[in-house]
Amino acid sequence: MDFDSILHMAKHLLGDTKRLFNNFKAKYPLEGEHKLDTLPVLSMNAVDLSNIQVTTGLTKLTSDLFTYQKHFDWLKKAAHVVRDHEFTSIHNRIDKLVKKMDHLMIKLNIARVSDPPVPQLPNSTTQWGVVQTGHAIFDHFHLFLDYATRVLVLMRNKL
């Protein structure tokens, strides 16, 4: 039942992220692919997905969510530059999802590894820098959530 709740939260977060990213792209169009070295890397293929274990899967997803949460922290603080406050809702939903996953890990007696180091994001923010970083964060987070929902379905089926 906890997996269903987490899966439901992840799917809703995916939908909200897609909507907010589309709004962001409409307000601040920026062509091309935007990269940010501090974002988690998804290096899973179909074979890796089918072999995913609940313990390692939850640990990795929680760790990556923490990293995205820190990126949205930065984006939320920098949002005054672009006068956009939609980042707060995403940040709050990530926080709820992380807490729910932490609770499930405790319930399943899965030891949580320490949080990854806080990513080093720019100290000074220009409108251009915030827009570029926002595009990279939203794009990668959208891909991560799509991946995470698939992984959660596979893990739920293994229990």
Side-chain angles (χ1 to χ4, degrees):
M1 188 145 162
D2 287 328
F3 255 102
D4 288 338
S5 175
I6 289 170
L7 183 57
H8 179 75
M9 290 174 77
K11 284 181 179 179
H12 279 279
L13 183 56
L14 175 61
D16 290 346
T17 300
K18 186 176 184 177
R19 181 180 51 79
L20 290 176
F21 186 32
N22 286 333
N23 290 347
F24 187 76
K25 286 191 297 188
K27 286 181 190 174
Y28 312 104
L30 193 60
E31 294 298 320
E33 184 178 350
H34 306 285
K35 296 186 185 261
L36 198 56
D37 293 338
T38 55
L39 291 168
V41 176
L42 297 177
S43 60
M44 298 296 272
N45 59 40
V47 173
D48 292 335
L49 279 175
S50 65
N51 294 328
I52 194 121
Q53 298 299 314
V54 173
T55 303
T56 55
L58 280 175
T59 302
K60 175 76 170 128
L61 289 178
T62 303
S63 175
D64 287 353
L65 272 172
F66 175 82
T67 301
Y68 280 108
Q69 184 179 37
K70 295 305 171 193
H71 281 81
F72 276 101
D73 280 346
W74 180 89
L75 206 50
K76 188 171 83 169
K77 289 175 188 167
H80 71 280
V81 173
V82 293
R83 294 184 179 89
D84 200 325
H85 302 286
E86 293 181 322
F87 310 121
T88 303
S89 65
I90 294 290
H91 181 270
N92 292 340
R93 285 185 174 245
I94 293 170
D95 188 51
K96 288 177 185 176
L97 184 57
V98 167
K99 287 178 182 174
K100 191 77 166 175
M101 289 176 75
D102 278 342
H103 175 73
L104 178 61
M105 288 174 69
I106 290 167
K107 193 174 178 179
L108 295 174
N109 293 320
I110 299 172
R112 179 155 185 219
V113 296
S114 60
D115 289 328
V118 176
Q120 294 296 317
L121 292 161
N123 287 334
S124 63
T125 54
T126 63
Q127 183 173 6
W128 174 248
V130 172
V131 168
Q132 275 188 303
T133 304
H135 275 270
I137 292 170
F138 266 116
D139 186 44
H140 286 261
F141 188 56
H142 180 260
L143 292 173
F144 167 77
L145 286 173
D146 184 59
Y147 161 80
T149 55
R150 293 168 196 267
V151 168
L152 288 168
V153 167
L154 290 169
M155 287 190 296
R156 181 191 64 187
N157 292 341
K158 288 186 176 193
L159 289 179

